[in-house]
Amino acid sequence: MGDGPADAGRQAAGGGPAAGAGTERARLPRLPVRQLAAASVGNAAEWYDWYAYSFLAIYFADRVFPKGAGDSLVPLLSAFAVFAVGFFMRPVGGLLMGAVADRRGRRAALTLTILLMGGGSLLVGVTPTYAASGLLAPVVLVVARLVQGLSVGGEFAASTTFLVESAGERRRGLFSSFQYVSTTVGQLVASGIAALLAGNLTEGQMASWGWRVPFLLGAVIALVGFWIRRGAVETRSAPEPGTPRPGLFEALRRHPRASLLICGITAGGTIAYYTWTTYLPTYATVNAGVGKGTALTAGTISLAFFAVLQPLGGVLSDRVGRKPPLIAFAVGFAVLAVPLLHLLDGGFWSLLLVQCAGMVLLTGYTAVAAAVNAEVFPARVRAAGIGFPYSLTVALFGGTAPYVGTWFADAGHAGWFPWYVAVLCLVSALVYARLPETAHGTLER
C-alpha cells in the first residue's frame, strides 16, 4: 500500500544522513540496554503519574468535586470525566510532540514530554479541596490533567518511534514490547503505592492527605527520567541539507490510509487495555462489591503478571509475524469479554482470575502495537503519523472507558459495558485480518 506498510521497506531518498548522525546511529546496535533504559524509565515515570489518578480517584473525588443531591456517584463520575478530558489533549500532544520528534529528533521530544508530565503531577498533588477553595479545586485538577494529556500523547509517539528505531531488524517486536513493559511498571508502582497507602492508612487519612503522596512522588520520578533521557542516543537520521522539515499535518495529508489503519488497529486494543489494566478495580468495586483495598491488591498482582508476558509476546511476533497475536487478542476479547466480566462475584480470587485471563489475551495486542504502528509510516513523518491518529482513538475509546462504565452502572445498565468492549474488539479483528504482514520487512530509518 503506497502510504502504509509498504513504505516501511523503502530506504530514505538521497545520500543518507549527515556524518555526525550516521556515527551516532552506527552505535545503536551496541547500546540496546542504554536505549531501552532511556525509553523505559521515562515512559514508566510518565505512566506512573497518569495511572495514579485512576487508581486514587475513588479517594479524592469527594474532596475535589461537590456531591449531587442524593447521588454518591456524582463525584466519581466527575473525576472520571476529568480523566477523559485529559485524554482529549492526547491527540494534540501526539501531533505537536510527534512533530518535534520528526523535526528536532526523538530525544528532544522525549525530554520535553517527561518535564510536562512531572509538572502536571505536581499540580495534581497540590490541588486544593472544594471545601477550601470552591470551584478553583476542579479547575486546577482539569488544568493539571490537560498538561498531562499533552505529555502522554507525545510520549507514545516519541517513545514508540525511538524504541523501534533502536532495534535490529529481527528484534523490533522484542523492543516494541518494552513500550508496555515500562508502561506496566509505571502502573504497577502506582498501584502498589496506592495499595500500600490504602492498607496502612485509614479511609479518613487517605481522603485527607494520603492520595496526594503518589502525585508528589511522581514529580520527583519525572526528574530522574529527564536526567536519564538526556544521555540517550538519537535514532533520527539527519536530513539532507536543504531538505524542508515535515509539515505539521503532512502525515495525515500524504498518508490518509495509513492514518485510518492506525485508528482501526488501536480501537479494540485501547478499550480492552484501559478496561483490564485501569478501570477493572473500580468496576469490580462498583458492580461486584469488591473492597477497595482488595481490588487494588488484585490489580497489582495481575499487572506484574502482565509485565512478564510482554517480552515473550514480542519475541513471538518476531518469529510468527504481527498478525497472529493481534487476531488472537481481538477474537479472544470479542468472545470472552462478556463472560469474563460476569464471573466477578465480589471475591479476590475471581477478580484476580478475570484480570490475569484478560492479560494473557491482551498481550497479543500490547506486545506488538509499537512495532506495528512504527512499521506503517516512513521515517520522515513516523512520530507525528503515529501520534495523532493513535491518541485520537485512545481518547475516544480508551480514555472514556472508566466514564462509560461508571455511567452504565449509574443508569442501571452495568451489564452493557462488557458488550461495548466486545464489539470494539470485533471491529479491530476485522482490521487485523486484512492487515499486511510487516514483521520481516526492512524498517526505513
Side-chain angles (χ1 to χ4, degrees):
M1 96 195 216
D3 59 1
D7 289 338
R10 186 181 67 248
Q11 296 301 312
T23 299
E24 274 203 355
R25 284 183 32 71
R27 295 163 52 202
L28 290 180
R30 298 196 296 272
L31 296 170
V33 175
R34 181 178 179 180
Q35 295 297 94
L36 286 174
S40 300
V41 172
N43 196 43
E46 290 262 359
W47 290 97
Y48 163 86
D49 290 333
W50 186 253
Y51 283 109
Y53 183 100
S54 179
F55 290 133
L56 294 164
I58 203 163
Y59 291 104
F60 68 75
D62 288 345
R63 309 286 292 183
V64 177
F65 298 97
K67 290 184 179 181
D71 194 341
S72 63
L73 281 179
V74 167
L76 187 59
L77 277 169
S78 300
F80 281 139
V82 175
F83 184 78
V85 166
F87 270 83
F88 279 95
M89 280 299 290
R90 290 181 59 163
V92 179
L95 187 63
L96 295 180
M97 298 300 164
V100 170
D102 289 332
R103 295 179 180 187
R104 312 289 294 184
R106 319 310 189 200
R107 183 172 57 188
L110 289 172
T111 53
L112 180 56
T113 58
I114 196 70
L115 287 177
L116 288 172
M117 178 57 73
S121 183
L122 179 62
L123 198 55
V124 174
V126 299
T127 297
T129 64
Y130 185 84
S133 62
L135 289 177
L136 179 63
V139 168
V140 170
L141 189 63
V142 168
V143 170
R145 293 304 289 175
L146 291 177
V147 171
Q148 290 186 315
L150 184 72
S151 172
V152 171
E155 172 67 21
F156 185 87
S159 63
T160 290
T161 305
F162 179 83
L163 271 173
V164 179
E165 289 178 350
S166 295
E169 292 300 335
R170 302 294 294 181
R171 295 192 297 172
R172 294 200 301 266
L174 174 61
F175 273 55
S176 167
S177 70
F178 278 86
Q179 178 75 31
Y180 279 93
V181 169
S182 56
T183 297
T184 305
V185 167
Q187 287 181 263
L188 190 59
V189 174
S191 176
I193 290 176
L196 182 65
L197 288 170
N200 289 276
L201 298 178
T202 65
E203 287 278 333
Q205 289 173 323
M206 280 296 295
S208 176
W209 57 268
W211 66 268
R212 298 181 186 274
V213 174
F215 296 108
L216 299 176
L217 179 60
V220 176
I221 295 173
L223 289 177
V224 176
F226 171 76
W227 176 75
I228 292 174
R229 283 184 164 179
R230 290 190 63 189
V233 178
E234 180 57 61
T235 63
R236 170 181 171 268
S237 296
E240 289 274 332
T243 302
R245 295 187 301 177
L248 188 61
F249 295 99
E250 183 174 327
L252 288 172
R253 188 179 67 253
R254 298 186 59 184
H255 308 282
R257 189 177 174 191
S259 299
L260 289 173
L261 189 61
I262 293 291
C263 295
I265 290 169
T266 306
T270 190
I271 185 65
Y273 177 76
Y274 282 101
T275 297
W276 249 256
T277 67
T278 304
Y279 176 55
L280 197 56
T282 301
Y283 179 89
T285 298
V286 173
N287 296 291
V290 178
K292 296 176 185 176
T294 298
L296 283 172
T297 301
T300 301
I301 295 172
S302 65
L303 283 172
F305 174 65
F306 184 59
V308 172
L309 292 176
Q310 299 312 296
L312 301 178
V315 170
L316 179 65
S317 78
D318 283 331
R319 295 184 178 182
V320 305
R322 316 294 187 220
K323 291 181 64 173
L326 285 172
I327 292 173
F329 146 73
V331 172
F333 263 103
V335 173
L336 296 175
V338 174
L340 280 175
L341 290 179
H342 277 92
L343 283 177
L344 297 174
D345 61 7
F348 169 81
W349 291 107
S350 70
L351 176 57
L352 184 62
L353 173 64
V354 168
Q355 285 201 280
C356 287
M359 298 304 193
V360 173
L361 293 174
L362 188 57
T363 297
Y365 168 77
T366 54
V368 306
V372 171
N373 289 338
E375 289 161 354
V376 164
F377 283 96
R380 174 178 167 82
V381 294
R382 181 169 291 138
I386 294 170
F388 182 72
Y390 171 85
S391 296
L392 180 62
T393 308
V394 171
L396 290 173
F397 301 111
T400 59
Y403 183 84
V404 170
T406 306
W407 183 83
F408 278 147
D410 191 43
H413 302 294
W416 289 6
F417 184 71
W419 287 102
Y420 175 65
V421 175
V423 168
L424 285 176
C425 288
L426 180 60
V427 170
S428 282
L430 299 177
V431 175
Y432 301 151
R434 297 180 59 83
L435 189 69
E437 182 57 71
T438 57
H440 308 306
T442 299
L443 183 74
E444 178 192 321
R445 301 173 193 271

